[in-house]
Amino acid sequence: MPDPCLTELRWAGSCLRVAGRVKPGAAPAGVPEVELLLRERDGGCLLRVPASASAADGAIGFEAMVDVASVEGGHPLPGGLWDVHVAMGGPADCVVLPLGRDRAAAVDASPQRRFLPGSSTVTAYFGFQGGLAIDVGGRPHAAGSAPADLLAWDERDEEVSVTGHLDLQRITMPISGTLNLLERRTRRSYQVFATLEELAGGLGYTARVPVTRAFIDDPLPRGTWDVTLRLGFSGLRRELRVLAPRAPVDVQVWRRLRHVRVVSSTAPDPLTITVGRG
């Protein structure tokens, strides 16, 4: 079933204007009832926003205004991350379709934000799979996973090299990348810079994690570290859990006059790097 084509996305005050069209066969016959569904990603809340619909050139066009300052009963859209879908038809023949993966060339793919009373930031943007989402408050949210294609031990620089890719669909190229490691017991955070490379239909990333004191005064400390990839999009930040590749790193390194084991997890588990334990 074809996705609806998003033809307009822009702010008008506190209202996000959303317009699009659905090709024949993707919607019930005739001119159906249309509404936008805002589903809270990290919770169970579902909000419905009415839309107008019309038939033109054999397709169904729709328009909706999402007033984030007064979306339901005069209350603003609650803080969190909201995925946007289109629902067409009545209760007996309702079709729910994702919105944003197919969009007109004139639609700006960069994050579009507004600042509401109380300094709340509201951002409309396209996720890693192309779907439209509305972020209220800018809190960190899980945004999927980033497979690590290869972990390698660089013997010369005594670093663990992490290389992977993301399959992206027409999103703005991130402006920064960071590999974030979080120690399970202490919750200490450790970051290294990740280089980004635009590939055909996706994005490649590479990061290097130092684990000895040969070339750096602050290598990855002892502990078990969960690994995520943090991407920055001009004020918007998203963090993805890195998935381990099939072949792990398992080496002995020289630290503080003794050998310390450095070992990583293997697919299909999320990537962890353990220093001096296990």
Side-chain angles (χ1 to χ4, degrees), residues 12 15 17 19 22 46 76 81 86 100 113 130 154 182 196 199 204 228 239 251-252 254 257-258 275:
C15 292
R17 177 178 168 82
V22 179
L46 178 67
L81 187 59
V86 177
R113 59 181 54 84
D154 188 324
L182 187 66
L196 305 177
L199 307 174
T228 58
E239 194 158 335
V251 295
Q252 296 283 341
W254 189 257
L257 303 180
R258 61 181 296 181
V275 180

Side-chain angles (χ1 to χ4, degrees), residues 174-209:
I175 62 174
S176 65
T178 305
L179 202 69
N180 186 58
L181 297 96
L182 187 66
E183 210 286 315
R184 288 185 177 178
R185 183 177 60 86
T186 64
R187 311 308 291 173
R188 178 180 178 180
S189 182
Y190 185 97
Q191 292 90 27
V192 294
F193 176 74
T195 59
L196 305 177
E197 179 185 7
E198 193 168 5
L199 307 174
L203 172 74
Y205 68 90
T206 301
R208 304 175 70 84
V209 183

Side-chain angles (χ1 to χ4, degrees), residues 9-100:
L9 181 72
R10 62 179 177 85
W11 287 103
S14 64
C15 292
L16 183 66
R17 177 178 168 82
V18 180
R21 63 177 181 272
V22 179
K23 298 177 182 179
V31 181
E33 298 179 5
V34 181
E35 58 186 2
L36 297 187
L37 301 182
L38 277 59
R39 188 180 302 276
E40 186 182 16
R41 184 176 298 178
D42 298 327
C45 189
L46 178 67
L47 299 177
R48 301 177 181 272
V49 178
S52 61
S54 60
D57 299 326
I60 302 298
F62 62 89
E63 298 180 1
M65 299 289 283
V66 182
D67 188 350
V68 296
S70 181
V71 72
E72 186 179 43
H75 299 288
L77 187 63
L81 187 59
W82 301 81
D83 293 307
V84 183
H85 292 73
V86 177
M88 312 191 74
D93 60 350
C94 183
V95 176
V96 178
L97 301 170
L99 182 62

Side-chain angles (χ1 to χ4, degrees), residues 212-213 215-219:
T212 79
R213 296 184 182 276
F215 298 99
I216 188 170
D217 291 333
D218 186 26

